[in-house]
Amino acid sequence: MTKKHPKHAIICGSTIDIFYVDSVVADDGTPCNGLSDSDNGWIKIDKNIPEGILQDTFLHEMLHILICNSGAYQLFLNSKIKDVDDFSELLIRILTPHLKSLMKEALI
Ligand SMILES: [Zn+2]
């Protein structure tokens, strides 16, 4: 990550808007550090949390979107694989190029 508080990230080819807001509340009303919506392409981060936690939260929410946009989420839903090692291997093969891209050039 080259920018401290990026406003956008490209994840699996989709531009994701990143908003730094005063508070973040999950659908069930629980306050949280961050939230993401892969369908609508946004991440919200509580701007009042400490910098170190903010970076973890940012990465956490980007991974949620990466899991969805890469097809890994759908793979899990459709998977008939029973062996966790086989599933793990497949998941890693799907995610590796996306993670590589995310680390190198995703932030704009
Ligand atoms: Zn989460």
Side-chain angles (χ1 to χ4, degrees):
M1 290 183 215
T2 53
K3 295 182 180 176
K4 211 168 181 184
H5 298 122
K7 302 271 192 283
H8 307 280
I10 297 173
I11 304 175
C12 305
S14 297
T15 300
I16 306 300
D17 296 320
I18 303 160
F19 302 104
Y20 301 90
V21 297
D22 278 323
S23 69
V24 182
V25 180
D27 290 342
D28 66 359
T30 309
C32 50
N33 292 336
L35 206 58
S36 59
D37 183 328
S38 60
D39 290 337
N40 294 304
W42 56 255
I43 290 173
K44 289 179 185 170
I45 307 272
D46 183 335
K47 67 182 178 187
N48 301 306
I49 57 178
E51 190 63 32
I53 296 173
L54 191 146
Q55 288 178 0
D56 286 0
T57 302
F58 185 61
L59 185 57
H60 181 107
E61 299 307 330
M62 286 204 301
L63 287 171
H64 271 300
I65 292 188
L66 180 69
I67 296 271
C68 287
N69 288 7
S70 68
Y73 189 86
Q74 203 59 37
L75 172 76
F76 178 74
L77 286 178
N78 297 339
S79 178
K80 305 261 190 289
I81 299 171
K82 299 291 182 217
D83 186 295
V84 71
D85 288 332
D86 289 347
F87 184 79
S88 173
E89 184 61 30
L90 195 55
L91 187 61
I92 289 165
R93 285 184 191 182
I94 288 173
L95 291 181
T96 297
H98 296 289
L99 285 169
K100 188 176 170 188
S101 168
L102 193 67
M103 288 187 292
K104 279 190 173 173
E105 57 186 296
L107 303 178
I108 58 175

